[in-house]
Every structure is written in structure tokens, then in C-alpha cells.
């Protein structure tokens, strides 16, 4: 189903909708500000379009704003911004995001000596910590549709390459 023309698309927090981001022809997405609009699966606009901060794109829409990621991350781990288009500044930043949904964000920091996954419930503000077994780190993750589980792709440091999976209920 065609819903519109855009350079990028991202999941919406609204059921049956997506965010479409467009850039003027000839502009560099790494430095330009895109225009984003939320549209239904029929293509109908759901709210007024917004101008994204320069150099950022939408990774995931949430109940508390748009989770933005830099088009061109600086050296190291990209820093995501939770941004409400009505506010002048990002409400929070996250480094090392491994999973996001419309209601939760999970991230991890450098793992020394053990890895910990931080999970933020956006509705309540409650933050939960999940500790991984020694010598393991999270490469990526996804929340279950009901938000009660976080599935993680886990790397084992013993050989540095063997992926594994860990599914943990975090609520």
C-alpha cells in the first residue's frame, strides 16, 4: 500500500501509521534538517509536519516523542535523542540503544566487568536494570508486542563471535 513519497520511513507509536521524512532534492541528509510527517496507512496526515533537528533522522516514534539518531554518528557509540517536536530541546539522550518500541527504550554501556541493560518504561518513567552473565554483551534486541519481554542477541566473549539469544522478562 502506498502511503506517500519520502526519503525515509520510521515506525509510529500510533497503530496503523508511519513517519515519513523528506529532504529537498540536492541536500545532504547528514547536515540538513528533514521534514517529517505522520501518516495513516491510507496516506492521510495525522498531525502537522515537523522539522527535524539538522543531521538527525527518526529511528522510532514513542509515546513520549521521537527517538532520533544522527545520520552521521561521531566516533564511538551513537547518541540517540528523545525529542518532543513541541519542545525546544531533547528531553533525554541515550547512548548504546539496542531496542526501542513505542513504550520502552533499552540501552547498554561499555561492559566492564559485566554488562547491564537499562530499560526505561516511557509511560511510568520506571527504569529497570538487567545484568547479563559474565563475559557476555548485548549486540541488539527487540521488545515483545506486549512489552513484557526483551529478546537480546548476546555475544559470548569466550570466542568473540558466537551469537546467542537470551529472552528475559523485565517487568
Amino acid at each position: 500500500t502506498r502511503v506517500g513519497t519520502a526519503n525515509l520511513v520510521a515506525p509510529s507509536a500510533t497503530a496503523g501509521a508511519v513517519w515519513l521524512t523528506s529532504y529537498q532534492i540536492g541536500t545532504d541528509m547528514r547536515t540538513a534538517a528533514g521534514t517529517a510527517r505522520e501518516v495513516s496507512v491510507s496516506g492521510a496526515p495525522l498531525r502537522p509536519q515537523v522539522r527535524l533537528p539538522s543531521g538527525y533522522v527518526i529511528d522510532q516514534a514513542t509515546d513520549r516523542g521521537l527517538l532520533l539518531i544522527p545520520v552521521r554518528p561521531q566516533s564511538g557509540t551513537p547518541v540517540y535523542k528523545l525529542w518532543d517536536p513541541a519542545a525546544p530541546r531533547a528531553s533525554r539522550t541515550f547512548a548504546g540503544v539496542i531496542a526501542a518500541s513505542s513504550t520502552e527504550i533499552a540501552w547498554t554501556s561499555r561492559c566492564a566487568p559485566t554488562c547491564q541493560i537499562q530499560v526505561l518504561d516511557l509511560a511510568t518513567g520506571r527504569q529497570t536494570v538487567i545484568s547479563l552473565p559474565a563475559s557476555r554483551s548485548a549486540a541488539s534486541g527487540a521488545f515483545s508486542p506486549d512489552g513484557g519481554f526483551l529478546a537480546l542477541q548476546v555475544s559470548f566473549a569466550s570466542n568473540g563471535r558466537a551469537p546467542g539469544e537470551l529472552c528475559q522478562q523485565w517487568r
Side-chain angles (χ1 to χ4, degrees), residues 5-45:
T5 303
N7 299 97
L8 300 168
V9 64
S12 174
T14 306
V18 295
W19 278 89
L20 302 176
T21 303
S22 300
Y23 293 86
Q24 289 185 355
I25 295 174
T27 60
D28 185 351
M29 288 179 10
R30 296 172 296 180
T31 57
T35 302
R37 63 193 191 282
E38 186 179 27
V39 299
S40 70
V41 293
S42 68

Side-chain angles (χ1 to χ4, degrees), residues 60-161:
Q60 167 80 45
T62 74
D63 291 343
R64 297 293 184 256
L66 300 172
L67 187 62
L68 305 178
I69 185 169
V71 174
R72 181 183 0 177
Q74 302 299 323
S75 62
T77 305
V79 176
Y80 291 70
K81 293 181 178 185
L82 185 58
W83 179 69
D84 178 352
R89 294 197 170 150
S91 61
R92 185 148 183 193
T93 60
F94 304 88
V97 171
I98 56 168
S101 73
S102 62
T103 58
E104 296 114 358
I105 298 173
W107 70 99
T108 186
S109 56
R110 296 188 184 260
C111 300
T114 62
C115 276
Q116 293 186 328
I117 310 300
Q118 308 285 327
V119 180
L120 176 64
D121 182 309
L122 294 168
T124 65
R126 186 175 129 222
Q127 196 166 315
T128 304
V129 177
I130 300 169
S131 295
L132 296 180
S135 72
R136 288 170 174 76
S137 62
S140 65
F143 288 101
S144 62
D146 70 357
F149 287 86
L150 173 60
L152 298 171
Q153 180 181 358
V154 178
S155 296
F156 298 90
S158 59
N159 66 15
R161 294 179 292 155

